[in-house]
Amino acid sequence: MIADKFEHAARYCCLAMVACLSFTTAGANLALVAFIICALISKKWVTDFHLIWKHPVAQLSIACFFVLCLSQLWSGVEAELSWAWISKYKKLFLIPMVIPFFQRREYKVALFHTLFISLLLGLVVSYTNYFGLTEVGDCPAVGCTAHSYITLSMLNCLLFIMAIAFFKQEKVFIKKALIASVAFFAWLNIVSILPSRTGQILIFVLIVWFPFVIWNGNFVSRRMKWVSFISAVMFVGLSLGAIYATKGSRLVESIEKISSHKAEAFNSKSASVSVDVRFEFYKKSLVLIGEKPLLGWGAGAHEPKLLSMSSEGEVVFSNPHNEYLLWLLQTGVLGLFIFLCWLCVVWRYSRRVVNFDEKVILQGWLLIFILGSFLNSFLLDFSEGYMTAFLIAALTPFRINEELP
């Protein structure tokens, strides 16, 4: 009886942490600690261990974390710095612990409702900040909240995905209209308010991707498939037109720089124009990777190297802002291979999800994570990393005796 109560308490702690990801890092950390305590007391993880340790997603999550820990052995920096970087990836270790707590449909629905309300409140605060009604966060004038505009744009992309999934399943007209308005305002916030080029690129990818999700249903006619796809492409075109019409658009500025094919377009070292400095991140990272490609420099060992290499410029950095390059830097080709295997297995299992809303939300966020990791270190980052871990753990099918498609 006590174990059952702590099992429910652990689940509530997960819901609390998911809700806190939109507003407060401290609250999310407290909820995480409470979950771990309740989960261990509940013995749910212990009783299901014989299933968890056989699950490929759990196995590769632990393998990724293990190779990071192992890389500390050949890291040339002090252990404190190495473990500081390793600890940021403890989200991977969290996945197998959360998996057994959300296998029933009602628990997933509770997670969706909690997450949807939390993300919606974050969207509302973004608008009130932008129009000067509130001042939450460090940059309220551009629509930021407690998060930076990049993180907030990723969360709004997730809200957009959830709204589309709920709209597809909702039958009541008034509710469908309200959900559609949420999707619209989430899209508008990403395209016209937040200055995040990553968010704008990903929202376009999601819009074009949605028809392919609908195509999976046999009830969709061939004509409807083409109409959906063409409509999505046209909508992206309209969105790009709106962005080009926006004065001072950072995405337009980046496109113009890239399309100019002029070396001088990338000589800027201004931190406010991150498309310029990102090329510096990548070039210096690739130099280090070329020196130790197989096993990398070890956990955290890249930090002093990148700091030294960038010290002469105006932008000093220790993170390449690319999740794949970060794995190459720390664990080499071996670590990147395991990380990519983990992503492939997670995606394959997402195709086995039966319920439409669960499948769309999981695959939509995975698409954001996989593509966004080329421009940011999403697994390393707090909100994006924990959101990835919780959605994978809660929505990945637990049964392993079914063949993958």
Side-chain angles (χ1 to χ4, degrees):
M1 182 66 68
I2 295 178
D4 291 340
K5 290 182 178 179
F6 275 99
E7 178 183 334
H8 288 298
R11 199 171 291 113
Y12 286 127
C13 289
C14 286
L15 297 180
M17 182 171 184
V18 168
C20 287
L21 287 178
S22 294
F23 298 101
T24 167
T25 300
N29 279 322
L30 288 175
L32 174 61
V33 173
F35 162 73
I36 294 175
I37 295 173
C38 293
L40 294 176
I41 297 177
S42 72
K43 298 181 180 180
K44 180 70 173 176
W45 189 73
V46 176
T47 56
D48 289 347
F49 180 77
H50 65 290
L51 294 175
I52 297 172
W53 78 273
K54 296 178 182 178
H55 200 291
V57 173
Q59 290 174 342
L60 284 168
S61 298
I62 297 300
C64 288
F65 188 75
F66 175 75
V67 75
L68 273 171
C69 295
L70 189 65
S71 71
Q72 199 270 337
L73 297 177
W74 59 82
S75 175
V77 297
E78 60 273 14
E80 182 179 357
L81 179 58
S82 289
W83 288 110
W85 280 88
I86 293 172
S87 66
K88 296 178 181 180
Y89 286 95
K90 60 182 179 291
K91 316 168 185 80
L92 290 165
F93 194 78
L94 187 66
I95 291 175
M97 292 192 68
V98 176
I99 282 178
F101 288 92
F102 286 91
Q103 291 307 307
R104 292 173 59 176
R105 171 65 180 173
E106 57 264 35
Y107 300 150
K108 301 178 193 292
V109 171
L111 175 68
F112 289 160
H113 290 168
T114 302
L115 183 56
F116 188 81
I117 293 173
S118 173
L119 295 175
L120 181 58
L121 290 175
L123 179 66
V124 171
V125 173
S126 176
Y127 276 106
T128 58
N129 274 353
Y130 182 74
F131 290 109
L133 302 177
T134 56
E135 292 187 6
V136 179
D138 297 329
C139 51
V142 294
C144 295
T145 59
H147 294 299
S148 68
Y149 54 80
I150 295 178
T151 297
L152 184 59
S153 67
M154 297 303 100
L155 296 180
N156 285 340
C157 281
L158 178 57
L159 179 61
F160 179 80
I161 294 169
M162 297 185 75
I164 295 296
F166 295 163
F167 178 86
K168 175 74 166 52
Q169 293 185 315
E170 186 56 60
K171 303 299 182 182
V172 181
F173 175 78
I174 295 178
K175 291 184 178 179
K176 285 179 77 75
L178 291 174
I179 293 172
S181 66
V182 172
F184 171 77
F185 283 109
W187 165 82
L188 183 65
N189 186 271
I190 297 167
V191 172
S192 298
I193 294 180
L194 294 176
S196 171
R197 290 159 295 187
T198 304
Q200 291 170 347
I201 293 171
L202 291 178
I203 196 69
F204 298 151
V205 173
L206 291 172
I207 291 170
V208 176
W209 169 75
F210 271 116
F212 290 93
V213 180
I214 299 174
W215 291 356
N216 288 329
N218 296 326
F219 58 91
V220 179
S221 66
R222 188 171 183 176
R223 179 181 177 183
M224 190 60 188
K225 294 176 182 180
W226 280 107
V227 170
S228 299
F229 177 73
I230 294 173
S231 299
V233 173
M234 291 178 62
F235 189 70
V236 169
L238 290 173
S239 300
L240 284 171
I243 291 175
Y244 265 91
T246 303
K247 185 178 180 180
S249 170
R250 299 174 77 237
L251 180 60
V252 173
E253 182 182 342
S254 301
I255 294 173
E256 290 175 349
K257 283 181 175 290
I258 294 173
S259 61
S260 66
H261 298 291
K262 295 179 180 178
E264 60 267 26
F266 302 101
N267 289 335
S268 171
K269 297 296 186 295
S270 172
S272 63
V273 190
S274 60
V275 70
D276 302 331
V277 298
R278 265 183 168 79
F279 283 92
E280 291 299 313
F281 297 166
Y282 302 158
K283 286 193 296 183
K284 288 179 170 58
S285 297
L286 289 173
V287 170
L288 291 180
I289 291 168
E291 294 179 12
K292 294 186 177 182
L294 184 59
L295 297 177
W297 290 84
H302 66 287
E303 179 176 327
K305 295 290 183 180
L306 288 178
L307 288 174
S308 176
M309 294 175 70
S310 61
S311 61
E312 296 181 357
E314 295 183 23
V315 180
V316 180
F317 62 93
S318 61
N319 182 355
H321 293 278
N322 180 305
E323 191 66 54
Y324 307 105
L325 289 180
L326 193 54
W327 279 86
L328 274 172
L329 279 169
Q330 296 186 100
T331 58
V333 175
L334 174 64
L336 179 63
F337 175 76
I338 296 174
F339 178 68
L340 293 177
C341 287
W342 174 70
L343 287 177
C344 289
V345 169
V346 170
W347 182 265
R348 292 182 67 199
Y349 267 83
S350 72
R351 297 173 60 191
R352 296 173 54 185
V353 178
V354 176
N355 295 303
F356 177 81
D357 54 350
E358 297 176 24
K359 190 170 190 175
V360 169
I361 292 170
L362 178 57
Q363 290 192 343
W365 181 256
L366 286 175
L367 195 61
I368 290 173
F369 179 82
I370 291 170
L371 297 179
S373 290
F374 283 101
L375 300 173
N376 297 277
S377 48
F378 275 167
L379 191 58
L380 180 75
D381 295 338
F382 187 88
S383 296
E384 293 90 333
Y386 275 111
M387 188 67 74
T388 300
F390 272 99
L391 289 179
I392 290 174
L395 302 180
T396 297
F398 197 31
R399 296 185 299 276
I400 62 173
N401 57 348
E402 300 176 5
E403 292 186 1
L404 286 169

